[in-house]
Amino acid sequence: MRNLYSRDAGSGETRRGSVASLSLTVNPMHAKYKGIVSTPGFCKFSAWKRETEIPKQSFSSWILGNMGNQSKNKVWMKDITTGRSETYASAKIHVERVVKGLSKLGVEKGSVVCMWTTNFVEYWICCLAAWELGAAVMPVNCLIHTDKLATQLLETAAGYLVCDELNLEDALALKSKVSSIKHIILMDQDECAEDALCFRKLMNTEENVRVSLKPVSLEKDPIYLIWTSIKDEPLLVEHTNKSLLSQMFSPSGTSNHWLDQNQSEVVFGGCWFFHTTGLYSFALSAALGLTLHVLSEYTDENTRNG
């Protein structure tokens, strides 16, 4: 069973105390917008920008465009657990192939792809491909109770459930209960059960597959579905291309995002990908041309040893 991280007992150090003790330099370009104050820190939303500055393009095309501007041989993402890595060039190629593979399975605008898997490098390749087809991605906790997941799958009419080997048996059981599920897709395996598809095979889809894309509204069509709760009542938050871009995009010459204090070419993503912080780590590292290190088997011990 996976171990969600836990704070060391008796450390006596709060998050505020550990960060407040650091002396961080604020980028002078923060002063570009008068009347807007930015303070140094590691957890900041990329919120201050004019609407006219937000790119009029899909979230995935913005990410892939930034990836295409990086050195071809530079590592985009590396799984410290397995040693598996993707360069910026190979990741783009694999996204293009997975777009064709998912299209053959029927993924299109209006489809919902549920991501029920740990931090594999292929996680975001799958998401980018789904977004390129106009589909919505729904990340869920790797340790979610299957009854709760079944409800979420039913309410969103999810057609595709991406899982890993640990969750495969439960995923196959869910397919028999949730009528909307068309395919179970298994991560990080070369061979699959008869009722599942290997994601690695999608990454090798033939080049001659034709893909038909439907127009997507940047402001209205949801592409990222997150479950939360208000007063113990479940609530589905629907992000569009514009809402995600509004959080991640920074105007040229400014630094107003989570990684604006970064001094390295490598970032360690110590968060599950299904968390919003996982989304930020992926998107900002790709947009800024950084190398993201992750752990597909995340435990405190693996984090210290990584």
Side-chain angles (χ1 to χ4, degrees), residues 22 32 40 45 64 68 70 78 81 86 97 101 203 214 227 256 283 290-291 293 298-299:
L22 299 177
K32 177 180 177 181
F45 287 94
L64 291 169
Q70 310 307 320
K78 182 175 181 178
T81 302
E86 285 274 355
R97 292 178 179 175
M203 294 173 64
K214 298 180 181 179
W227 284 93
N256 57 325
L290 304 175
T291 297
H293 284 187
Y298 182 79
T299 64

Side-chain angles (χ1 to χ4, degrees), residues 4 115-117 139-145 149 152 167 272 274-275:
L4 295 176
M115 301 298 296
W116 188 30
T117 177
V140 296
N141 192 320
C142 295
L143 303 178
I144 189 173
H145 193 282
L149 177 56
Q152 295 180 355
N167 295 329
W272 292 98
F274 59 77
H275 281 303

Side-chain angles (χ1 to χ4, degrees), residues 121-243:
V121 173
E122 293 86 354
Y123 188 107
W124 295 111
I125 290 177
C126 183
C127 293
L128 286 167
W131 287 329
E132 285 288 273
L133 291 167
V137 169
M138 184 174 73
V140 296
N141 192 320
C142 295
L143 303 178
I144 189 173
H145 193 282
T146 52
D147 288 343
K148 183 177 181 180
L149 177 56
T151 300
Q152 295 180 355
L153 293 170
L154 283 167
E155 293 197 16
T156 57
Y160 307 85
L161 180 56
V162 182
C163 68
D164 52 37
E165 189 175 22
L166 185 65
N167 295 329
L168 178 58
E169 185 177 346
D170 288 333
L172 293 174
L174 282 167
K175 185 181 179 183
S176 65
K177 297 178 181 178
V178 181
S179 59
S180 62
I181 297 180
K182 300 176 183 178
H183 294 285
I184 302 296
I185 301 175
L186 180 62
M187 283 284 187
D188 196 47
Q189 296 294 319
D190 293 317
E191 299 296 332
C192 295
E194 185 176 340
D195 294 331
L197 300 169
C198 285
F199 185 78
R200 287 179 179 173
K201 292 184 178 179
L202 296 180
M203 294 173 64
N204 295 312
T205 304
E206 297 178 2
E207 296 292 334
N208 59 358
V209 176
R210 298 183 63 182
V211 178
S212 178
L213 301 178
K214 298 180 181 179
V216 175
S217 170
L218 301 181
E219 299 185 17
K220 296 181 180 180
D221 292 325
I223 65 164
Y224 197 65
L225 311 178
I226 304 176
W227 284 93
T228 184
S229 62
I230 295 181
K231 295 182 179 179
D232 296 326
E233 290 295 324
L235 176 68
L236 182 64
V237 178
E238 300 182 343
H239 279 286
T240 64
N241 282 284
K242 184 177 180 180
S243 67

Side-chain angles (χ1 to χ4, degrees), residues 5 10 29 43 55 61 77 82 122 157 179 187 229 252 257 268 285 299:
Y5 83 92
M29 292 305 295
C43 294
S61 66
M77 193 177 300
T82 64
E122 293 86 354
S179 59
M187 283 284 187
S229 62
S252 178
H257 46 70
F268 174 67
S285 60
T299 64

